[in-house]
Amino acid sequence: RSTPSNSSAASDVYKRQDMGIPLAASTQWDVVNEASGIFGPVYRELIREAAQGDVVHNDDTTMKILELMKQDQEQRKRGEPPGRRGMFTSGIVSVKEGRRIALFFTGREHAGENLAKVLAEREESLGPVIQMCDALARNVSGEFQSIVSGCMSHARRGYVKVVESFPQECRFVLETLAVVFKNDAIASREKMTAAERLEFHRRESLRPMARLRLWAWKQLRERRVEPNSGLGQAIAYMRKHWRKLTRFLFVAGAPLHNNLCERVLKKAILHRNNSLFYKTENGARVGDLYMSLIASCQLAGANPVDYLTELQRHEAQLRENPGEWMPWNYRGTIERLC
């Protein structure tokens, strides 16, 4: 037998992976777009449940939508004043009693505005939510009240970038923060309550952070470092946002970092690297829906394929009570139906 060419071999693999029935991209879109109507009630309930969280993490990344880019181009040709040109995918992770929900929103709005839409469904009796984000202004909004916590990982990266130029100074900062991060890992591993974790951090992390604050103050006050240098900027950032960065020492449940949201947001970044863009706003909406359901399944330890399949099998029931078809309880609902 002759060896097949690379193109024919690739085609054979493609057919085997699709059970011998290759599907055009347009056909795949028709399938997922139609099914998105079935998942709509569950997605909206997921947003409502996320709004009731004790802690919300949010961040965003840039994303292209060709439809909006075309609108911008036509606007420029007409000589109209430029409006908002930015396009983002915002990632929001809500945490309540250990349960985590991931949401994605793609469009002109930034992370703070998208979080405001979610928190519009928050019950007033719950009070302000604890919000974890970095210091970018677009991560917050005046449309909701929150107890903002700063991301210590973000502050730490400023020192990592300049460690080769300032090894001695950065070593002190990184070793001090290593103690704090280790304490946070211990609290997580031992499954401490929010109150227990707060007390643990105040006992074990307060002094290291106090030494770090004094050190940072001396570096600039005594002119030990040039303010415009990389180290000076890292110190200035930490000093400017110190209150938010140390919220975990004073507010029960306040996170130390935003790593959870950044990991979830990598799904959007992976999509951007592979597909480069969304074609239309509707395509972005459908993509957000699927990524939200799939990421929430993974955070809940559920199988996304099984979950989406069962939702389609029980369309009538989930429309009646979508709260019974969340990633963490749908299996129990199916067992009761059987």
Side-chain angles (χ1 to χ4, degrees), residues 18-311:
D18 289 283
M19 296 183 291
I21 309 175
L23 296 177
S26 59
T27 303
Q28 295 181 48
W29 162 250
D30 289 339
V31 172
V32 298
N33 186 39
E34 182 179 355
S36 68
I38 298 175
F39 305 142
V42 171
Y43 179 55
R44 290 189 290 273
E45 176 63 18
L46 209 60
I47 294 174
R48 192 197 69 80
E49 297 243 7
Q52 319 312 318
D54 299 323
V55 180
V56 290
H57 300 246
N58 70 314
D59 199 359
D60 57 24
T61 186
T62 57
M63 185 65 68
K64 293 180 180 179
I65 303 177
L66 297 189
E67 184 178 47
L68 296 183
M69 295 174 69
K70 184 178 180 181
Q71 292 175 8
D72 293 343
Q73 186 178 28
E74 292 174 349
Q75 191 178 40
R76 284 193 295 268
K77 287 181 179 179
R78 293 192 298 266
E80 297 178 1
R84 179 178 288 193
R85 297 285 171 83
M87 285 169 267
F88 308 94
T89 290
S90 299
I92 297 173
V93 181
S94 173
V95 182
K96 185 176 180 65
E97 298 175 352
R99 181 178 296 158
R100 299 175 294 180
I101 298 172
L103 300 172
F104 295 88
F105 302 94
T106 301
R108 296 286 194 191
E109 292 80 12
H110 53 62
E113 292 171 324
N114 287 314
L115 181 56
K117 291 180 181 179
V118 173
L119 294 181
E121 300 193 34
R122 185 174 178 84
E123 297 177 6
E124 294 183 3
S125 60
L126 294 176
V129 67
I130 298 173
Q131 179 187 359
M132 164 51 68
C133 60
D134 61 43
L136 287 177
R138 69 190 187 202
N139 287 330
V140 296
S141 171
E143 297 182 23
F144 61 87
Q145 290 185 338
S146 64
I147 303 171
V148 181
S149 299
C151 177
M152 190 64 76
S153 290
H154 193 84
R156 180 182 179 276
R157 290 182 198 127
Y159 297 96
V160 173
K161 290 179 181 178
V162 298
V163 68
E164 292 184 1
S165 301
F166 304 91
Q168 184 175 352
E169 295 87 344
C170 291
R171 179 179 180 181
F172 169 76
V173 176
L174 296 177
E175 288 182 350
T176 301
L177 291 179
V179 173
V180 178
F181 275 84
K182 181 179 179 180
N183 291 338
D184 202 58
I186 292 172
S188 177
R189 184 172 64 248
E190 296 186 2
K191 299 181 179 179
M192 296 182 187
T193 65
E196 291 171 343
R197 174 178 173 273
L198 176 62
E199 180 60 29
F200 178 69
H201 267 305
R202 289 182 67 84
R203 187 173 64 250
E204 302 294 335
S205 304
L206 186 58
R207 288 184 179 179
M209 291 303 297
R211 288 195 297 269
L212 181 57
R213 186 181 190 184
L214 179 61
W215 174 89
W217 179 81
K218 285 184 176 181
Q219 300 308 300
L220 298 179
R221 180 72 175 181
E222 300 177 4
R223 302 183 183 276
R224 298 181 184 181
V225 61
E226 168 59 43
N228 292 326
S229 67
L231 178 60
Q233 292 175 7
I235 293 173
Y237 177 91
M238 179 172 281
R239 291 192 65 202
K240 180 179 180 180
H241 303 288
W242 186 262
R243 188 171 184 178
K244 295 176 182 178
L245 290 170
T246 57
R247 196 78 74 183
F248 69 98
L249 292 172
F250 305 99
V251 177
L256 177 64
H257 51 72
N258 202 27
N259 295 359
L260 173 60
C261 185
E262 292 183 359
R263 285 196 298 269
V264 167
L265 201 55
K266 284 183 179 179
K267 294 185 181 300
I269 296 172
L270 181 63
H271 164 74
R272 184 181 66 204
N273 292 342
N274 290 337
S275 301
L276 304 181
F277 52 78
Y278 286 109
K279 185 177 181 181
T280 65
E281 288 187 273
N282 182 55
R285 179 191 62 80
V286 173
D288 291 338
L289 182 150
Y290 276 93
M291 280 202 294
S292 298
L293 295 179
I294 291 170
S296 294
C297 273
Q298 293 173 333
L299 291 175
N303 184 315
V305 175
D306 179 71
Y307 180 61
L308 296 178
T309 301
E310 294 297 345
L311 292 186

